[in-house]
Amino acid sequence: FHGTVVQASPAADGRTLITTISVSRTIKGRVPSRMVVTTSNQPGLCGYPLHVNRTYDFAGRQHAHGQMSTNMCVMVPLNARP
């Protein structure tokens, strides 16, 4: 899906970034208008740098509880530069 980061904050574990995405366009499947996406906030752990007010194409693993996790391996091919 294609969307804009509207909120980003570190998780309690200190290693994860939790973001809320406003979805503007779906690419495949069904996606709600707001999606929670997590990634590592440490580049050495393949985290993808997500910044508030920036727009990205998203891919990743959707979890049963409705959140999605992503990383460098799936985000870099979709976005010109992190």
Side-chain angles (χ1 to χ4, degrees):
F1 65 89
H2 185 79
T4 302
V5 179
V6 294
Q7 183 178 358
S9 58
D13 67 8
R15 298 182 322 229
T16 306
L17 181 67
I18 302 170
T19 64
T20 302
I21 312 301
S22 175
V23 177
S24 56
R25 179 173 45 95
T26 57
I27 298 169
K28 182 177 179 182
R30 292 184 181 186
V31 180
S33 62
R34 293 256 176 177
M35 188 74 174
V36 173
V37 176
T38 62
T39 190
S40 172
N41 64 4
Q42 300 175 17
L45 295 176
C46 296
Y48 191 83
L50 298 171
H51 303 282
V52 174
N53 296 323
R54 291 209 30 208
T55 300
Y56 304 92
D57 287 322
F58 286 88
R61 180 175 178 215
Q62 192 161 359
H63 303 282
H65 54 283
Q67 293 185 347
M68 185 177 99
S69 60
T70 195
N71 60 50
M72 289 290 254
C73 291
V74 296
M75 292 292 287
V76 169
L78 299 174
N79 298 279
R81 55 175 39 198

